Amino acid sequence: MIKKLLFILYCSLSLIAFSLFGTQTTAQSYTERAYVTGYGEVTVVNPAVPEITGHIKVKGPARDISFTEDGRKGVVIANGRTTFYVFDAVQNKVLDEINLVGRTDKGMLDRRVWGSAISPDGTKVYAFVTQGEKQTNLYKVLPSKIIEVDLKTKEVTKSVEAPYGIHAIQFKEGDPKTLFVWGYDLYTLHTGTWKLKKEVGIKHKDNPKDGSTNILLLFPRGPGISGSPFNSMPTITTYPDGRVTEGIAWFNTKTGEYHSKDFDKPPVGMFSAVVDPQAKYGYSIMNHWYKTDLKTGHVIKDTKPPTGTIYGLNMSADGKKLYLAGGGNDFIVANTDLQVEKIIKLPTDGWDVKVNRIRN
C-alpha cells in the first residue's frame, strides 16, 4: 500500500514538474533584448537584469531599427540618415554598411531615409527616401520614393514615387509581400505588384465630422517581434467645431484594423505610445506619463516621467513590463502601473527603445 501511495505521489510530482518546466521551456524559446538608438551606437540591453550586453557602432545618430522574422538580424539607419547598417543581433556586430548617396550625370545624388524595414527573410530592405541632386551651384529637389535595396548586391532594385511625409514602414505580420506605409494617411505596398494603395484616411478622413488627425509615428511598434501585433502612436485631432484633442491610435498588423481614442484630458504633448497585447490599456510618454483605458479614453494614471522628458516607451514581449529610454542616457524598467523598478545608465543619450525577440 505504501509503495502504491509513493508511486502515485511520484507521478503527481512528475506531472507538476513537467508542466512547470515544459511551460518555462516554451516561454524561453526566445531571448528578449532592448535596443536604444543613441549617438554613435545602438546600445543593447538585457532588460531582465537590466544590464548592457552590447554596443552596435554606427556613425552619428542612430534611427529606425527593424528586425527579421527570427529576430537574429537587423538594420539601423545612421550617418545623417544616409546609411544602412546591417547587423547580427546575436553577436551585436555590424555585418555590412550600405550608403545610399551616389552620383548623377550632373552632380551628387543625395538620399535621406525617413522610415525603413528589413524583409522578414533578411534579404532586402525597404525605405522611404527624400532625394535631391547637388550640382555645383544648385540643389535640385527630386521626387520622394520608396525603394527596395538588395542586401547582397547593395543595389536599388525597385522604386516608386510616394507622397511626402511618410515616416515609417513595416511588414504585415505573417505576410512577407505586404508593407504598411505610414504617412499623413496609411498605405499598403505590395512588393510583387509594386503598387501603392491608400487604405485608411487619418489626416484626410472620409467623413469630415471625424476631424483631421495628425499622428506622431517616429517610433513604429510591433509587429510580432516585440510580442504584440499592435503598432501604436500619439495623436492630435482637430474637429470642425474647433476642438483639439490628444489621444492614442493603434493598428493591428495582422488584421489591418485601425483604432483611435481621444484622451479625457487636455493636450499636453506626447512623443511615443505603446499598447498591450490585449489592446486593453495604452501607455504614452513625454513630459507626462499616461496609462489609459482604450475602451473609454479615460486616463487612469497621470504621473511625471522618472528622469525628466522621455521620448521612447515600449513593452516587454509578455506585456508585463514597460521600458523607457530616450531624451537622456537612462534605461528604465517599470511595471504596468507606472511604478519604476530599476534604472541603469547608458553610454549616450538615446532616441528610442525597440524590443526584439531573438529565436534560440
Side-chain angles (χ1 to χ4, degrees):
M1 182 65 180
I2 292 174
K3 288 183 178 180
K4 185 176 181 180
L5 288 172
L6 288 172
F7 179 76
I8 293 171
L9 179 61
Y10 171 79
C11 290
S12 299
L13 290 172
S14 297
L15 285 171
I16 291 170
F18 177 80
S19 176
L20 287 173
F21 289 106
T23 302
Q24 186 178 20
T25 301
T26 301
Q28 297 301 320
S29 60
Y30 64 86
T31 299
E32 181 170 290
R33 291 290 181 262
Y35 298 76
V36 181
T37 46
Y39 189 87
E41 71 170 63
V42 178
T43 308
V44 187
V45 177
N46 177 357
V49 179
E51 66 178 0
I52 296 171
T53 60
H55 306 269
I56 301 168
K57 296 297 184 178
V58 299
K59 295 177 182 176
R63 301 284 187 263
D64 297 336
I65 298 183
S66 60
F67 298 93
T68 53
E69 189 174 21
D70 61 10
R72 299 177 71 86
K73 185 177 179 181
V75 66
V76 61
I77 303 301
N79 194 21
R81 295 187 179 271
T82 65
T83 306
F84 296 121
Y85 289 81
V86 183
F87 62 91
D88 184 320
V90 179
Q91 299 182 17
N92 303 321
K93 177 183 176 182
V94 173
L95 301 173
D96 212 346
E97 296 181 29
I98 302 174
N99 192 295
L100 295 178
V101 174
R103 297 199 65 85
T104 68
D105 293 339
K106 298 180 180 179
M108 297 293 296
L109 176 62
D110 180 30
R111 287 199 187 108
R112 308 284 167 151
V113 179
W114 301 92
S116 62
I118 191 170
S119 62
D121 64 2
T123 61
K124 296 179 175 64
V125 67
Y126 297 84
F128 172 76
V129 294
T130 53
Q131 301 186 119
E133 185 181 62
K134 291 181 179 180
Q135 301 176 11
T136 304
N137 297 308
L138 177 69
Y139 187 90
K140 181 182 178 182
V141 176
L142 301 175
S144 55
K145 291 186 174 184
I146 296 174
I147 61 173
E148 176 189 81
V149 179
D150 186 299
L151 293 183
K152 185 176 181 179
T153 65
K154 303 185 182 182
E155 298 293 329
V156 175
T157 50
K158 293 180 183 176
S159 68
V160 62
E161 288 193 25
Y164 183 81
I166 290 169
H167 40 262
I169 296 176
Q170 60 187 169
F171 276 90
K172 183 176 182 179
E173 189 169 351
D175 182 356
K177 296 290 186 181
T178 301
L179 282 160
F180 294 118
V181 178
W182 294 91
Y184 293 117
D185 300 302
L186 173 63
Y187 302 82
T188 55
L189 177 64
H190 191 278
T191 61
T193 60
W194 203 244
K195 290 184 179 179
L196 197 63
K197 178 185 176 185
K198 182 179 173 180
E199 298 289 349
V200 179
I202 299 173
K203 184 175 179 63
H204 308 99
K205 297 180 181 177
D206 295 334
N207 188 347
K209 292 182 180 180
D210 293 332
S212 177
T213 299
N214 282 310
I215 58 175
L216 185 59
L217 188 49
L218 297 173
F219 311 140
R221 301 299 179 222
I225 289 172
S226 60
S228 171
F230 297 108
N231 186 15
S232 42
M233 63 221 76
T235 64
I236 291 287
T237 302
T238 303
Y239 291 94
D241 61 6
R243 288 180 301 121
V244 178
T245 62
E246 186 170 39
I248 186 172
W250 63 102
F251 175 78
N252 192 317
T253 58
K254 286 183 178 179
T255 66
E257 295 174 295
Y258 174 88
H259 301 277
S260 64
K261 181 62 67 172
D262 290 340
F263 297 148
D264 62 356
K265 280 180 169 285
V268 295
M270 292 293 180
F271 216 67
S272 65
V274 68
V275 167
D276 69 32
Q278 292 75 41
K280 185 176 182 181
Y281 299 111
Y283 304 86
S284 51
I285 203 163
M286 191 166 78
N287 295 318
H288 286 249
W289 186 13
Y290 282 1
K291 178 179 181 177
T292 306
D293 185 318
L294 293 180
K295 185 176 181 180
T296 64
H298 173 58
V299 177
I300 299 168
K301 190 169 184 178
D302 174 3
T303 188
K304 295 293 184 182
T307 57
T309 301
I310 291 177
Y311 294 157
L313 174 66
N314 218 317
M315 180 173 281
S316 61
D318 61 10
K320 295 180 179 180
K321 301 293 181 183
L322 296 173
Y323 304 143
L324 289 65
N329 67 328
D330 300 292
F331 180 86
I332 302 158
V333 179
N335 62 31
T336 53
D337 288 324
L338 313 192
Q339 296 169 328
V340 173
E341 296 181 350
K342 292 183 180 179
I343 302 177
I344 63 170
K345 291 293 181 181
L346 305 176
T348 172
D349 286 352
W351 178 238
D352 183 31
V353 54
K354 206 72 178 278
V355 179
N356 180 29
R357 293 187 299 176
I358 304 170
R359 289 184 186 171
N360 295 331

